[in-house]
Amino acid sequence: MRRSVSMVGLASLALLGAAPAARPADLIVRGGTVFPGGGDPFVGDVAIAGDRIVYAGPHAAMPARRTIEARGMVVAPGFIDPHTHVGDDLSSPDAARRLIPAFLLQGVTTAFIGNDGGGEPDVAAVLGRATARPVGINYAAYVGFGAVRQAVVGAARRAPTADELARMRALVAGAMCDGAMGLSTGLFYAPQSFARTDEVAALAREAGARGGTYDSHIRDESSYTVGLKAAVAEVIAIGRQAQMPVHISHIKALGIDVQGQAPAIIAMVEAALAHGQTVTADQYPYDASGTSLVAALVPLWAQDGGRAALLKRFDDATLATRLAADMRENLRKRGGPAALLITEGAEKGRTLAAVARRMGVDPIAAAIATIRVHDPAVASFNQSQRDIEAFMRAPWVMTGSDASTGHPRVYGSFARKYAEYVVRRRIISLRDFVDRSSALTADTFGLAGRGHLRAGAFADVVVFDPKTYAPRATYEQPTLTAVGVRLVTVNGRIAVEDGRVAGVAAGRALPHRPTRGSCPSR
């Protein structure tokens, strides 16, 4: 029997293009159902030595310093989150916060930061922080259109001068040469929303020329300005003009005016794919988006010039009727005051409808009174299940969290996608869930050695119990950690064991390597 198992192991090794390690493995994860990322699952072993996988196949016929039994468990590549807002956590002076336990306990081992146009232009500093302040997960960083525009143009609603445009292009080029993975935008948000398409495309070309991706929170996910279809057309057009891959952040049909448009949006993307463009998207598995009260309700014209200018407009009696009418229309698009849940500040846990009742005023007056004190984060219940499921089935849509304060998606996105849409609703298969949470993301963004369980890959591994893996976070208690993850390794080191964070900061910054010859020697 020993000879038979050995022969099977050697045959499998030949098929997988792997070979037994010359030295003992540090760890073997034994007997789980292995989903290798982009390949068929099998029952077998994953062996790790140092920071690398040295074998993934039916039987690891090698000694190991430690073996962990995974029978009945799912063994998968560490999950990769392409859209987060955990940059402040990763740079925090608090070592425990830098571990990002909310992600580790879902099996997430890599995250992207700098999304929505917020990425700092000094990408070298962002990536260098992990050396002085070790982190619990790997991370890659975008340079943000918003941060670049703010640094050069400020918050004004105007086009840049030729000199300003040149300076912005230079900032993007420099960031790409320092390791940015691409240019991110948040064109829905002021002052980024003040930029025309040609301005955005000019900066995107600098990223595209250096092998980067254009990642966008599109100009309109609803019917606020240009509309959902036109906003998707714009992102595709920018990718075509800049000759670069495009990625649509947290794809959705937001609000009652556009619910049901998912099939049309999918058709637009697939038409672009058929014409040779590279277009992908990410999605979080919740029907509520997360934004701020200002972004949800206040018209863009009133945001021109920033918060100080907005507060002055609140006090301008000549604008009161127009402002209230525009805010009321935006509230209608969002589904009304009961569909906006405030998730931070003094009104945390109350809907806008409840705040209005408490204050004894109408919802718009209540919103203005709240914004005067603080612009709080809100959960906005605005999507249909039919649209969510349609986007989720698309093979170019990967898992993401858009992790931001006050929303359960920070602590539950990956676990909820599995528990709700694999197990309960059966919208996608377990293999689809794993691949679109790991291999698809790694391959799309060129994360070499990540997203797959195979010899030579970095040892980012998650082991979870398919019977218990689930979120606990709710809108009322958004910081409850997920359950069911038994083991996580990050670069070969155990970060989660027996469902508990081990306190190991094994993450690394992952600089993008720009196209050869596109940057001066540094």
Side-chain angles (χ1 to χ4, degrees), residues 35 182 293:
F35 287 76
L293 194 56

Side-chain angles (χ1 to χ4, degrees), residues 188-220:
F188 173 69
Y189 300 108
Q192 296 180 70
S193 56
F194 303 149
R196 294 165 55 98
T197 302
D198 57 355
E199 177 188 336
V200 181
L203 271 63
R205 288 189 195 98
E206 298 297 334
R210 293 162 180 83
T213 297
Y214 175 67
D215 171 270
S216 186
H217 177 144
I218 58 177
R219 195 176 294 273
D220 194 353

Side-chain angles (χ1 to χ4, degrees), residues 154-188:
R157 184 171 187 157
R158 65 172 177 83
T161 65
D163 176 67
E164 288 170 336
L165 184 62
R167 287 161 57 196
M168 289 194 290
R169 292 177 61 182
L171 283 174
V172 172
M176 290 299 302
C177 291
D178 284 336
M181 60 189 303
L183 176 71
S184 78
T185 63
L187 298 183
F188 173 69

Side-chain angles (χ1 to χ4, degrees), residues 89-101 133-136 501 503-505:
D89 297 303
L90 289 167
S91 62
S92 171
D94 182 346
R97 185 178 169 191
R98 293 198 306 273
L99 295 178
I100 321 294
R133 292 180 171 177
V135 296
V501 175
V504 173

